[in-house]
Every structure is written in structure tokens, then in C-alpha cells.
Amino acid sequence: MSKIYDVIILGAGPAGLAAGLYTGRSRLSTLIIEKGSDGGQIAITDEIENYPGQMPEGESGPALVERFTKQAERFGCERVTDTATKLELEGRIKKVHCGDTVYEGRTVILATGAHSRKIGCPGEDEFTGKGVSYCATCDANFFENLEVFVVGGGDTAVEEAMYLCKFARKVTLIHRRDELRAVKSIQERAFNTENLEFMWNSVVVDLEGEGVLDTMTVEDTKTGERRVIKADEDDGIFGCFVFIGYLPNSELFKDQVECEWDYVLTDEDMKTNIPGVFAAGDIRKKSLRQVVTAAADGAIAGIQCDHYIQENFSHEE
Ligand code: NAP
């Protein structure tokens, strides 16, 4: 008979690895399934400086995540590189299909994270972390007194643009239409923000630079006219923050667990609507998506798996 794990964790980002640390320490047999490399979004983050207790001088995302991984391993978590293709979550024993391989578990923690929608223009990938950013809370500091552009017109773009105004000399919000999608209350605050300007009917079509982002081409969506924007010579760089939607990695299970905007709904114990199925990190509907909140979610989900197993399986073995 194949092994039945106490806990199967989908995703080895900060939420999944923190969950594994807690389930491992609770002596629960734990399998973490990750399709790529550990770390999720922080694996591609150049510098992290706001995770409490990290190297105070700042460190790269991969360096931080390496310690997450080692810590989870230390407490006995198994890890496989595999892609989940189908989930059976309703039964007493949950099944995670990865192609022909089926993993079985008493509980499942969904920690598959989310990813930012990209503009898709030339230079975007090359200058990510060198001017292009998808996280104001993470990177606003690096643009203290510089010029910043924000792409998008929804709640996130407008709120993040206002946040960036506290750091940047000037923020220009570039939106593809001539009115914002953001709710009126957020718009009102934005229009009253002194160093926030708007570039309407515009899309970014090219990002360039010498090592760092210093040139951007913007196209007028009405006339097709193109305009090249260059960084101030003294600055040598500007920021381009992209907030054109955030896409949760919930494709596999959004029709099985209760979601809102495709983000998984949980209670404060990370419980989903399905008994024995928990969610942690950016995949959840929540207000702050940071490493610290992902790790905290993972810890809670891990402990709740222990409670669930004690309540539901303790008489079996
Ligand atoms: P969103 O509401 O989907 O807005 C995405 C924005 O990006 C839209 O303005 C859209 O333009 C633009 N956009 C999309 N694709 C684009 C592209 N390829 N190039 C240029 N622009 C593009 O996303 P969000 O702002 O991240 O919000 C997601 C959900 O979270 C929403 O339901 C929102 O209400 C909610 N949310 C709520 C709060 C809050 O209540 N405080 C805060 C944040 C998020 P168009 O307008 O032309 O489509």
C-alpha cells in the first residue's frame, strides 16, 4: 500500500515551507510538492529587507529561501519536484495526482501562491529588479526621491501609486483608458495626491536601459503615437511599477474550494470550506501579501493540520 502522508503541501514558497516546518516539528509526515524551484515569488526577488529577523543589511530572495528550505528539511519534510495535475480533496484521504503518480494525504495545504500579470513588452523581464517592479511595499525604498511610473488603473495600481508618492519625487500613473477602474473613494484620494500625475490612454510598449531601466516607450492608445521617456540625467534610473492584475495560481482547485476573485477563502485558522484542506500565503484572499504574512499563514495552517489529524485520525493507529 502506498504511503499516506499526514500532510501534503502544494507549493514551496514561504507559506508552504513555513507550514512544513511546523508540521515537521509536530512529527507529522509531510510531503511538499513543488513544480519549480523553492521560494515562489521571492526566488526572483533581488533584495529583501523587510522580513523580520533576516540579515539586517538586506539579502537576496534566494538566500532567504534557502534557509526556509533547510529549516523545513531539518524537521523531516520530504520534497518532490512534480506538477499537480488533479486534486481529489473531498474524501477522508485526499489525493494529489501528478500525472500518473498519486500522492495520498490526510490533510492538504494549498500554498501555490500567485503571480503578477505582466505587460508583455520587450525589456520587461530583463529589467525586473533593475527598475521594473511588481511590489511597492518591497521596492519603494529604492526609489527615494526618484521618478516613478505606475502602470494600471485598478484599485491596486492607484493605491500603490499613492503609497509610492511617499517615497518618489513624482509618480505618474499610466493607464490604457481615460478613466480609472479603481473605486471612486480611492480615485478621490488619488486626485488629491500632490505628486501624483496621470498619463491617460497610454500603454508601455518598450523598456530599455544601460544595466538599469532608464528609457521607456509609451504608445497613445487612441492615436498610436509613440513617445520616448528618458530618466533624468542625475537620476540615471526611474521605476516602472506594474499593477495590471494579480493572478492566483488556483486554476487546479478553484472549482473545488470556495474562492473570491479566484483567491481561496479561509477562516483565520486557514481552513477552507473542505474539512482537512487548508490554504496559506498569497493564494488566500487577504489584504497584505508579504513573506512575513505568508510564513505566518503557513505556521497557522501547519498547526491546524495537527489539530485536525488528532481530532479525526487519532483512534486509527
Ligand atoms: P484589476 O481590478 O483587474 O485592474 C487591473 C488594471 O490593469 C485595470 O485598470 C486594467 O485596465 C489594467 N490592465 C489590465 N491588463 C492590462 C494590460 N495588459 N496593459 C495595461 N493595463 C492593463 O486588478 P487589481 O487592481 O489588482 O484588483 C484586483 C481585485 O482586487 C479587484 O477586484 C479589486 O477591486 C480588488 N482590490 C481591492 C482593493 C481594495 O478594496 N482596497 C485593493 C486592491 C485590490 P482596464 O481598466 O482598462 O481594464
Side-chain angles (χ1 to χ4, degrees):
M1 209 173 67
S2 70
K3 175 168 182 175
I4 298 177
Y5 290 92
D6 290 322
V7 186
I8 297 180
I9 299 170
L10 295 185
L17 291 168
L21 165 65
Y22 275 75
T23 56
R25 282 189 83 234
S26 302
R27 304 273 158 83
L28 300 177
S29 59
T30 302
L31 176 70
I32 302 180
I33 303 176
E34 165 61 55
K35 69 175 178 188
S37 51
D38 288 8
Q41 292 187 85
I42 66 163
I44 52 158
T45 306
D46 241 15
E47 188 170 357
I48 303 222
E49 57 177 24
N50 60 357
Y51 183 64
Q54 66 162 106
M55 299 302 171
E57 60 275 16
E59 65 181 320
S60 72
L64 178 63
V65 90
E66 197 182 321
R67 294 203 303 278
F68 268 77
T69 301
K70 281 194 180 142
Q71 218 175 349
E73 274 171 10
R74 181 178 160 214
F75 292 103
C77 286
E78 289 178 44
R79 183 200 183 284
V80 290
T81 303
D82 219 335
T83 303
T85 48
K86 186 177 139 191
L87 303 183
E88 292 179 63
L89 298 175
E90 289 287 350
R92 186 167 158 78
I93 299 298
K94 324 290 181 196
K95 292 185 181 166
V96 177
H97 297 251
C98 295
D100 292 339
T101 311
V102 182
Y103 300 99
E104 295 188 315
R106 296 179 175 89
T107 59
V108 168
I109 300 176
L110 306 170
T112 49
H115 62 279
S116 302
R117 179 181 283 133
K118 294 189 169 192
I119 302 171
C121 71
E124 186 176 14
D125 288 341
E126 186 184 343
F127 292 102
T128 294
K130 296 169 187 152
V132 176
S133 172
Y134 303 88
C135 176
T137 321
C138 316
D139 295 334
N141 266 4
F142 305 122
F143 295 92
E144 188 87 50
N145 219 19
L146 296 174
E147 195 170 350
V148 158
F149 296 86
V150 170
V151 182
D155 290 345
T156 307
V158 180
E159 282 197 330
E160 299 303 293
M162 288 188 283
Y163 175 76
L164 283 159
C165 282
K166 296 181 193 166
F167 299 82
R169 184 171 70 231
K170 186 176 103 177
V171 177
T172 305
L173 188 132
I174 302 174
H175 184 36
R176 64 183 177 184
R177 294 185 292 131
D178 62 1
E179 61 175 348
L180 297 172
R181 175 179 295 275
V183 296
K184 287 283 178 282
S185 58
I186 295 177
Q187 289 194 29
E188 277 165 21
R189 283 194 286 123
F191 292 137
N192 285 319
T193 302
E194 211 175 302
N195 52 339
L196 179 56
E197 295 184 2
F198 296 86
M199 194 185 288
W200 303 110
N201 301 315
S202 301
V203 287
V204 175
V205 290
D206 191 40
L207 295 161
E208 288 176 74
E210 297 270 336
V212 293
L213 180 67
D214 61 25
T215 306
M216 171 166 71
T217 307
V218 174
E219 185 176 285
D220 188 305
T221 53
K222 294 238 156 105
T223 63
E225 198 180 313
R226 289 190 169 198
R227 196 176 133 202
V228 176
I229 297 166
K230 287 203 174 285
D232 186 284
E233 251 178 46
D234 290 339
D235 297 342
I237 183 174
F238 54 75
C240 178
F241 284 76
V242 181
F243 302 109
I244 56 176
Y246 202 56
L247 305 172
N249 302 323
S250 60
E251 202 57 42
L252 193 61
F253 45 78
K254 67 180 186 191
D255 297 329
Q256 293 184 58
V257 293
E258 257 175 39
C259 289
E260 193 174 307
W261 307 326
D262 291 347
Y263 289 99
V264 179
L265 293 173
T266 70
D267 65 7
E268 63 181 2
D269 288 332
M270 308 300 138
K271 291 176 182 162
T272 69
N273 61 311
I274 303 177
V277 179
F278 302 82
D282 287 6
I283 192 66
R284 286 179 60 225
K285 186 194 167 213
K286 63 196 299 196
S287 60
L288 182 63
R289 294 193 171 86
Q290 292 282 286
V291 183
V292 65
T293 58
D297 285 1
I300 296 167
I303 293 298
Q304 288 301 323
C305 283
D306 192 26
H307 292 176
Y308 177 85
I309 286 168
Q310 280 179 34
E311 281 163 20
N312 293 278
F313 292 91
S314 61
H315 303 300
E316 285 186 10
E317 286 168 89

